[in-house]
Amino acid sequence: MGTFEELVAEGAAVPLEGWDFSWFEGRATEERPPWGYAGLIASRLAAVSSALDLQTGGGEVTASASVLPPLMAATESWPPNALVASKNLPLVVQAPDDGPLPFRSSSFDLVISRHPVVTPWREIGRVLRPGGTYFSQQIGAGTNSGLTDFMMGPQPVSEARGTERARAEAEAAGLEVLRLEPAALRVAFFDVGAVVHFLRKVLWTVPGFTVEGYRDRLRAMHEHIREHGEFVCTSTRFLVEARKP
């Protein structure tokens, strides 16, 4: 393990483009959800003629599927990510996360999204064809709240990302919820540099995070990891599948 200053500087220098977490190998771990999202979407992508990946990041997860449908479109709001995604997927459109979506109504058999910032349910319902499906792995309520609380002090947990909120909004958009499955997952950070990079990349964990603004708490994190070997918290995920009648 390097010094506090070395580790912080290293975590602060890692590029943020794309949604590839391979840099964390050996420095942090997150338990995987039991359902295997990448495999599930791969099988669904192979079975449809048109699909839309919302908030694709760098497009890495969707691009890992061995077969893509003849019409494979994606949206991404952050220009650096959109540039990466355009190298991985055939059609990437820069569009706001909360809509409107720049596609005609009833355009897609399948809409997918992995860890969307927001879920524009009504727009999803609009662009799905009758009988089409929305299939998504989402970040649940209170995810990594232990890390948030360590850095910021105790924070209230919003239910905006709760499963019941997702069900209500899907049904309000005219969709039938077929599957709604939550999971609690162990997360461990093994050095403070990994914490710095994570907080820069996953912005909603500590809103407004900067190294200088949180240097004292980062030093406390460094000492915690030196003493205990890791910092452990819990992330939450849920899988949601909804169909347009």
Side-chain angles (χ1 to χ4, degrees), residues 40-65:
L40 292 176
I41 65 163
S43 63
R44 284 162 172 75
L45 288 169
V48 298
S49 61
S50 58
L52 171 63
D53 180 8
L54 295 180
Q55 302 169 44
T56 189
E60 297 91 348
V61 175
T62 298
S64 70

Side-chain angles (χ1 to χ4, degrees), residues 154-178:
Q155 302 292 310
V157 174
S158 170
E159 289 303 316
R161 291 185 175 275
T163 53
E164 291 312 305
R165 174 77 171 269
R167 181 187 298 278
E169 292 188 353
E171 291 175 348
L175 303 178
E176 177 189 5
V177 177
L178 304 178

Side-chain angles (χ1 to χ4, degrees), residues 1-228:
M1 181 181 291
T3 68
F4 170 73
E5 295 295 344
E6 289 169 344
L7 291 168
V8 167
E10 186 178 2
V14 184
L16 298 177
E17 293 82 359
W19 207 239
D20 178 2
F21 282 71
S22 60
W23 181 88
F24 289 99
E25 185 173 351
R27 309 185 70 154
T29 61
E30 182 181 58
E31 184 183 3
R32 298 290 89 193
W35 45 74
Y37 179 75
L40 292 176
I41 65 163
S43 63
R44 284 162 172 75
L45 288 169
V48 298
S49 61
S50 58
L52 171 63
D53 180 8
L54 295 180
Q55 302 169 44
T56 189
E60 297 91 348
V61 175
T62 298
S64 70
S66 58
V67 177
L68 297 178
L71 173 58
M72 182 71 241
T75 67
E76 174 55 39
S77 63
W78 193 42
N81 272 356
L83 181 61
V84 174
S86 68
K87 299 174 183 178
N88 291 323
L89 296 172
L91 174 61
V92 178
V93 179
Q94 193 172 327
D97 293 334
D98 57 356
L101 298 176
F103 303 101
R104 292 191 297 268
S105 298
S106 302
S107 293
F108 298 100
D109 301 314
L110 175 68
V111 176
I112 60 175
S113 59
R114 181 180 180 271
H115 303 171
V117 177
V118 295
T119 303
W121 287 105
R122 293 196 179 278
E123 280 292 275
I124 291 167
R126 181 182 66 80
V127 301
L128 276 173
R129 291 173 177 163
T133 301
Y134 176 63
F135 194 81
S136 175
Q137 178 176 295
Q138 306 221 354
I139 297 169
T143 196
N144 292 324
S145 60
L147 177 57
T148 301
D149 291 350
F150 187 96
M151 299 300 294
M152 302 179 68
Q155 302 292 310
V157 174
S158 170
E159 289 303 316
R161 291 185 175 275
T163 53
E164 291 312 305
R165 174 77 171 269
R167 181 187 298 278
E169 292 188 353
E171 291 175 348
L175 303 178
E176 177 189 5
V177 177
L178 304 178
R179 183 176 181 182
L180 191 58
E181 182 178 343
L185 311 168
R186 186 182 190 272
V187 178
F189 296 92
F190 305 129
D191 69 70
V192 73
V195 174
V196 169
H197 181 43
F198 183 84
L199 294 178
R200 292 173 60 233
K201 195 172 186 71
V202 188
L203 299 172
W204 50 85
T205 307
V206 176
F209 171 80
T210 64
V211 168
E212 289 308 314
Y214 284 88
R215 184 168 289 274
D216 289 346
R217 296 311 301 156
L218 289 171
R219 189 174 292 279
M221 175 67 74
H222 179 64
E223 296 303 324
H224 177 96
I225 294 173
R226 282 172 59 102
E227 180 179 355
H228 300 283

